[in-house]
RNA sequence: GCCGGGAUGGCGGAAUUGGUAGACGCGUUGGACUUAAAAUCCAAUAGUAUUUAUACUGUGGGAGUUCGAUUCUCCCUCCCGGCACCA
């Protein structure tokens, strides 16, 4: 071999040229072979150029595609550019360079970079979403949606910066301020286009089951669609009639119509139609007694962004519509109406019936405003509160009956046993007695321990092993005492109580397992401290750990404060679960699920399904996107641009500087147009489409990219699609991936496609982090430039390294030293084969190499199928390490190694193939098959355990029978050491793995 | 707060899905070659004790199931990603 050293610079460009010249990777529309369509999410050609993350998914797919090609499939592996988008436009605003120019420049750069990595793309199918030849069909897609009623216009909010006079994308809003000028962002209503993705919710949900996608992605889409079943109910407004004398109703959606008897008020979103119209009409407006307050609340809400409004931590605000009442349709009771921003206009009807007893949000609101709380569902699970108090000498006596009374009002079952003095030796007997009582109680169990009742409570839980949902401990402590002092007091035995308590010996982990929620109240006291209760709590990590310092209260005042807090704590949650109906007239006693339908029927509501998913807003008040093909005519109204007039081209004579209007309006030539219907002068829609529209169908265009009479021909689309394997980031779960499914399903319904899912198999690649384990970013200075890596180590090295780093779907840090190992591996391949050639291909006489070759082929083949590329590479490394030792092998095995290496490192494989075989290209060879008979082991090493601990290893013939294996195992010196004079209870033999001898 | 993913030597990771934990690679240490360095090659490399043999500890922490747990169950801690009051 001429070149002794592996010089990637000499070979990589050479083979890239050969592949391109011979059109090796062009997909064949006419082949009879089975097709395989592999795809990665196409890149946005950003100014920064290729990132090391790009080659990761590209290499992974390239390996699969090259492998499938060698397996005999007709491959389609296309590439293109998601070329519309904000950065190019921002650059135009700053630098005055038209987006088309920057984009073209970036594509040129990306192309060069991607080509230098040697991927097997079919460049003849390259697409560019910003090219008129492409966006003509994006517009055509819009028209299909429009024709079928899936594209419509309505008002929606946009982020508006008053000082820049421009609409801002969500990512341009930082802290509710404009990223450019730092002034406050307002919400502004604009007429905007939507795609009715909500019409496909059921189909989108149903389709998920069939897909070979990562489960988290499927789940995420399911949650995103957010299906929930409930009822539509109508609430009448009291003493209010429309002009036509009809009564006024407000409709609400609820998932819990069963709770309607507990609906003690209504809440409307501030944007609700009823509120808006009420404030518009003068004589009705005057009905509202607190109109100024109401109007102020509404304007305040408008200033808030969605994010501020939906901050869960904030207290619930609202304002009553004084003077207007609603009627609860179940019991005809008058109830107040509130406006509050915790109700969103975008979900359901923008109005709710509030049931504070059974909805946590309503509950919190009701507490703030002192509204009535009526429980209408009783927990099927009984709630029992056991109050364990301290010695009789303590002054709490009066509080226990009070607390018992209050809790019973709330539906709790309360037990306050008459405690013996905890210093009393009878305690144990007493606990046993209590245990009997408790055994008969089922349901939720709450224990309150007070003072010396604390240790009793803990002991009780531990001894009885009952599951306690909540444990409250109210323990007195001295404000001046610290932990150490407490301990000292204890050790000196100064306090008898402490000593007694300590002797109980609690097991923190056991208690932790038995108790779901632990709350600890500590308060001032100068008597004694159940010391190890406190210490125990350090291990238990109580959920609510309250130190109280209430000043100079006397004891009973202090107790009152504690018990009020406790009561509040115990009843601070709404009961949201199932149960039996109460306070609901004739429905009382039914279980709530049965009542749900009956009540809905009785009050004339209808069961309905709601979805969280909203329609897809596709309008962008931007230049660098696909123009929406609509014309507005004074005569004919909204007119779709006829298909023959497509594409509606993006004009070049526009001003990019923000003016407050879509940039397209500044182009006269674009804006003013004749109406296609009546010929009168009209104006064009000046908004462009969300770039996600472009990427929702690009995978379809690859089937027939140069067709200029249709987006794709029937023959080709149904030949190539759907995509067999798709690789891309998981961040697109609820965006691109959902939109593409929607498009495919819609086009299937329109009759253009014979399939209704675009991507059969999906895999996500993880993120490549910087060496510091942080996301790569310019500001952190941890960005790795792939060009530099390619220049230094070669494309093959970066490809193999990125696959070797770890599992594809994991995120993992880059390691500059780690890549050296991969480079060494390729150098070894080069060297060992070069040497073998120089020595006239010496053959191996033993079978060892042969076996390893076949094992490796098997491992690599199976690993590619399951995308475990890191272990496939490791297997090849093992083989090559062995080869450098043996140095003699058969021609067929060397060829086999090169073939399995080819998908990973195609350039070096091609170069060595030329030298070893001399015929054809390696990427067009057949994938090698392993011979199972050559892999079979004759002997196997098995482990010998005694009681599950490894004591010896022996090598046995593979088919040795069990009895002989046991005999051998028991005969090992190190085994005898442990089994001598011991009774063997059990012997376990796991074939070809281990023996476990169980002794007494 | 909710949903999802994760935690294994100094580092990236492997482990046939309940069966010998640490494959492979990086790094480190020692040795060979060299005037020397780099490169390359060889050997060692989870920790502790020890003369090897071996023993003990060890897969974020705590419990449990099992002859046997990185793997299954429960509880907890921390990290990463997504979502935001969905009635």
């Amino acid at each position: 071999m001429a070149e002794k050293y592996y010089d990637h610079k000499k070979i990589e460009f050479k083979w890239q040229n050969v592949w391109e010249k011979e059109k090796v990777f062009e997909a064949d529309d006419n082949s009879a072979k089975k097709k395989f369509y592999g795809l990665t999410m196409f890149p946005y050609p950003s100014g920064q150029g290729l990132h090391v993350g790009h080659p990761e998914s590209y290499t992974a797919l390239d390996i699969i595609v090259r492998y499938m090609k060698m397996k005999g499939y007709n491959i389609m592996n296309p590439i293109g550019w998601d070329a519309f988008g904000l950065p190019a436009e921002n650059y135009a605003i700053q630098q005055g360079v038209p987006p088309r120019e920057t984009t073209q420049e970036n594509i040129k750069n990306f192309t060069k970079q991607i080509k230098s990595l040697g991927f097997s793309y079919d460049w003849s199918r390259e697409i560019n979403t910003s090219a008129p030849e492409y966006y003509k069909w994006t517009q055509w897609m819009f028209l299909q949606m429009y024709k079928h009623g899936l594209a419509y216009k309505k008002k929606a909010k946009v982020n508006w910066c008053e000082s820049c006079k421009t609409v801002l994308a969500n990512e341009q809003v930082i802290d509710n301020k404009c990223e450019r000028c730092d002034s406050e962002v307002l919400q502004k209503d604009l007429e905007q286009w939507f795609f009715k993705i909500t019409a496909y919710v059921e189909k989108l949900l149903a389709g998920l089951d069939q897909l070979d996608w990562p489960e988290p992605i499927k789940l995420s889409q399911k949650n995103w669609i957010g299906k929930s079943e409930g009822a539509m109910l109508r609430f009448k407004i009291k003493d209010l009639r429309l002009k036509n004398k009809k009564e006024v109703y407000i409709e609400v959606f609820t998932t819990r119509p069963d709770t309607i008897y507990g609906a003690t008020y209504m809440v409307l979103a501030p944007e609700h139609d009823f509120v808006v119209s009420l404030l518009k009409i003068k004589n009705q407006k005057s009905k509202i007694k607190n109109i100024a307050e109401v109007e102020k609340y509404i304007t305040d809400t408008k200033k808030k962004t969605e994010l501020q409004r939906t901050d869960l931590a904030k207290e619930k605000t609202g304002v009553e519509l004084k003077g207007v009442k609603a009627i609860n349709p179940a019991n005809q009771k008058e109830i107040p109406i509130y406006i509050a921003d915790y109700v969103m206009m975008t979900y359901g009807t923008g109005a709710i019936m509030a049931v504070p007893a059974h909805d946590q949000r309503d509950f919190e609101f009701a507490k703030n405003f002192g509204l009535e709380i009526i429980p209408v569902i009783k927990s099927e699970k009984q709630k029992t509160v056991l109050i364990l108090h301290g010695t009789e000498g303590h002054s709490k006596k009066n509080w226990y009956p009070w607390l018992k009374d209050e809790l019973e009002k709330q539906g709790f079952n309360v037990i306050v046993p008459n405690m013996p003095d905890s210093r009393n030796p009878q305690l144990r007997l007493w606990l046993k007695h209590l245990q009997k009582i408790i055994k008969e109680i089922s349901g939720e169990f709450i224990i309150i321990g007070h003072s010396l009742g604390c240790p009793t409570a803990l002991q009780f839980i531990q001894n009885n092993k009952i599951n306690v949902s909540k444990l409250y401990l109210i323990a007195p402590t001295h404000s001046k005492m610290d932990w150490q002092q407490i301990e000292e007091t204890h050790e000196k035995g100064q306090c008898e109580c402490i000593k007694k308590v300590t002797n109980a010996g609690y097991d923190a982990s056991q208690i932790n397992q038995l108790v779901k929620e632990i709350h600890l109240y500590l308060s001032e006291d100068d008597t004694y401290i159940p010391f190890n209760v406190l210490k125990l709590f350090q291990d238990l990590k109580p959920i609510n750990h309250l130190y109280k310092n209430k000043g100079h209260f006397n004891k009973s005042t202090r107790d009152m404060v504690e018990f009020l807090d406790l009561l509040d704590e115990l009843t601070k949650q709404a009961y949201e679960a199932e149960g039996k109906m109460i306070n609901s007239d004739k429905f009382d006693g039914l279980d709530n699920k049965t009542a749900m339908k009956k009540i809905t029927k009785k009050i004339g509501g209808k069961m309905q399904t709601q979805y969280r998913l909203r329609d897809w807003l596709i309008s962008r008040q931007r230049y660098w996107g696909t123009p929406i093909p609509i014309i507005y005519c004074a005569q004919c109204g909204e007119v779709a641009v006829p298909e023959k007039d497509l594409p509606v081209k993006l004009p070049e004579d526009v001003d990019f500087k923000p003016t407050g209007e879509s940039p397209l309006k500044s182009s006269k030539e674009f804006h003013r147009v004749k109406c296609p219907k009546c010929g009168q002068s009209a104006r064009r829609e000046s908004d462009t489409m969300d770039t996600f529209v472009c990427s929702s169908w690009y995978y379809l265009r690859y089937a027939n990219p140069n067709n200029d009479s249709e987006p794709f021909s029937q023959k080709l689309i149904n030949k190539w699609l759907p995509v067999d394997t798709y690789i891309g980031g998981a961040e697109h779960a609820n965006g691109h991936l959902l939109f593409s499914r929607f498009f495919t399903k819609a086009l299937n319904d329109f009759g253009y496609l014979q399939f209704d899912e675009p991507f059969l198999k999906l895999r996500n690649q993880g993120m490549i982090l910087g060496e510091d384990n942080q996301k790569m970013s310019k500001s952190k200075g941890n960005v790795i430039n792939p060009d530099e890596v390619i220049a230094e180590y070669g494309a093959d090295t970066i490809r193999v390294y990125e696959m070797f780093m770890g599992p594809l779907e994991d995120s993992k840090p880059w390691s500059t030293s780690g890549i050296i190992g991969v480079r060494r591996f390729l150098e070894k391949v080069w060297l060992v084969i070069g040497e073998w050639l120089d020595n006239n291909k010496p053959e191996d006489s033993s079978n060892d190499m042969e076996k390893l070759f076949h094992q490796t082929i098997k491992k690599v083949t199976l690993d590619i199928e399951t995308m475990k590329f890191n272990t496939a590479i490791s297997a090849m490394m093992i083989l090559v390490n062995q080869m450098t030792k043996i140095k003699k092998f058969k021609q067929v095995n060397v060829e086999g190694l090169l073939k399995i290496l080819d998908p990973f490192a195609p350039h070096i494989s091609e170069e060595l193939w030329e030298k070893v075989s001399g015929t054809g290209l390696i990427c067009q060879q057949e994938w090698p098959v392993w011979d199972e008979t050559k892999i079979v082991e004759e002997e196997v090493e098995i482990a010998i355990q005694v009681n599950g601990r490894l004591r010896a290893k022996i090598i046995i013939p593979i088919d040795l029978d069990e009895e002989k294996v046991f005999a051998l195992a028991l005969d090992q010196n190190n085994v005898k050491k442990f089994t001598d004079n011991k009774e063997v209870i059990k012997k376990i033999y796991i074939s070809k793995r281990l023996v476990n001898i169980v002794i007494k």
Side-chain angles (χ1 to χ4, degrees), chain A residues 108 135 191 218 294 386 431 511 589 885 917:
Chain A
K108 232 172 102 188
Y135 69 67
E191 282 276 317
K218 290 207 245 179
V294 170
L386 174 65
L431 283 172
I511 287 172
K885 280 183 192 152
S917 163

Side-chain angles (χ1 to χ4, degrees), chain A residues 523-551:
Chain A
S523 55
E524 259 187 68
D525 195 286
D526 51 3
T527 46
Y528 44 71
I529 308 97
F531 152 69
N532 81 334
V533 176
L534 301 185
K535 193 155 193 298
L536 186 71
F537 264 91
Q538 291 180 314
D539 300 330
L540 290 181
K541 296 195 180 69
I543 288 170
N544 194 357
H545 196 148
L546 298 174
Y547 284 87
K548 300 228 175 225
N549 202 345
K550 299 282 182 193

Side-chain angles (χ1 to χ4, degrees), chain A residues 843-900:
Chain A
E843 281 215 9
D844 178 27
S845 50
S846 84
N847 262 340
D848 292 357
M849 277 315 290
E850 185 82 1
K851 187 200 276 178
L852 189 57
F853 270 113
H854 284 267
Q855 276 172 343
T856 310
I857 289 170
K858 180 179 181 179
K859 174 80 179 148
V860 172
T861 306
L862 297 180
D863 278 353
I864 291 176
E865 300 264 357
T866 49
M867 298 196 203
K868 287 158 77 178
F869 305 118
N870 53 335
T871 48
I873 293 162
S874 147
M876 289 189 277
M877 283 174 169
I878 292 169
L879 173 66
V880 172
N881 285 346
Q882 194 59 23
M883 284 168 75
T884 45
K885 280 183 192 152
I886 307 290
K887 295 177 195 289
K888 294 177 180 177
F889 359 88
K890 290 188 187 136
Q891 167 89 10
V892 62
N893 288 337
V894 175
E895 288 184 0
L897 166 65
L898 290 175
K899 284 179 190 169
I900 59 173

Side-chain angles (χ1 to χ4, degrees), chain A residues 77-113:
Chain A
N77 182 24
I79 180 83
W81 315 104
D82 189 10
F84 276 134
L86 210 51
E89 186 165 344
N90 284 343
Y91 193 72
I93 293 166
Q94 286 160 22
Q95 309 288 329
V97 185
R100 184 162 302 286
E101 284 176 26
T102 18
T103 304
Q104 228 113 50
E105 199 55 39
N106 292 346
I107 288 178
K108 232 172 102 188
N109 184 36
F110 258 71
T111 304
K112 198 184 101 230
Q113 289 184 299

Side-chain angles (χ1 to χ4, degrees), chain A residues 49 126 193 213 277 311 318 322 330 335 449 537 584 590 612 625 641 859 938 941 954 975 980 985 991:
Chain A
E126 179 179 352
W193 284 96
W213 284 22
S277 57
D311 182 3
K322 285 186 181 153
I335 55 172
F537 264 91
S584 301
L590 289 175
R612 202 192 85 118
V641 173
K859 174 80 179 148
E938 276 138 34
E941 186 189 55
I954 52 171
V975 174
D980 271 356
I985 305 173
S991 176

